[in-house]
Amino acid sequence: VQLVESGGGLVQPGGSLRLSCAASELGDYAIGWFRQAPGKEREGVTCINRSDGSTYYADSVKGRFTISRDNAKNTVYLQMNSLKPEDTAVYYCAARKSRCTVLPGRVDYWGKGTLVTVSS
């Protein structure tokens, strides 16, 4: 599975961005977004399951971020609202066979990442 992220950039605090993850196939894969800030470990942000559409959100983004998938377009989106400076990171799209995971070591495929910078 090949994953290509897009939509990153510079945004002011309180602003919004929408990231896209174009996949070569979605199949039975759960698709998630991880992020990695400078000097920090990669962390799971959100994920959506293929089978039932159930979702997971890290506490730090609940109520601000929304994940969705368009199976016809093989694309997963991450709508990010009310962005904060601490959201600054490289955001990675990730695919895992079967169910979602928040553990980077259990991801099957990674995209190359897109940089999100939240700054005034």
Side-chain angles (χ1 to χ4, degrees):
V1 177
Q2 294 180 334
L3 305 170
V4 180
E5 304 95 335
S6 62
L10 174 64
V11 63
Q12 293 186 342
S16 298
L17 277 178
R18 189 176 81 157
L19 305 183
S20 298
C21 172
S24 57
E25 62 171 289
L26 285 182
D28 293 329
Y29 290 91
I31 304 293
W33 289 92
F34 288 71
R35 66 185 181 186
Q36 188 165 19
K40 294 189 176 181
E41 294 185 351
R42 194 169 296 190
E43 63 172 351
V45 176
T46 181
C47 187
I48 185 167
N49 286 301
R50 172 71 173 95
S51 57
D52 57 8
S54 57
T55 56
Y56 158 84
Y57 293 94
D59 287 342
S60 58
V61 306
K62 280 181 182 176
R64 300 189 298 121
F65 289 13
T66 303
I67 189 171
S68 60
R69 62 192 288 164
D70 185 334
N71 293 324
K73 295 183 178 180
N74 285 345
T75 301
V76 173
Y77 303 98
L78 178 59
Q79 179 66 43
M80 304 186 296
N81 299 328
S82 302
L83 282 162
K84 305 174 181 179
E86 52 263 44
D87 294 318
T88 295
V90 177
Y91 283 72
Y92 296 90
C93 183
R96 180 173 187 257
K97 197 73 172 178
S98 186
R99 305 291 290 178
C100 283
T101 182
V102 297
L103 301 176
R106 294 187 177 179
V107 170
D108 294 319
Y109 300 96
W110 291 98
K112 293 184 178 181
T114 185
L115 178 62
V116 172
T117 303
V118 184
S119 175
S120 56

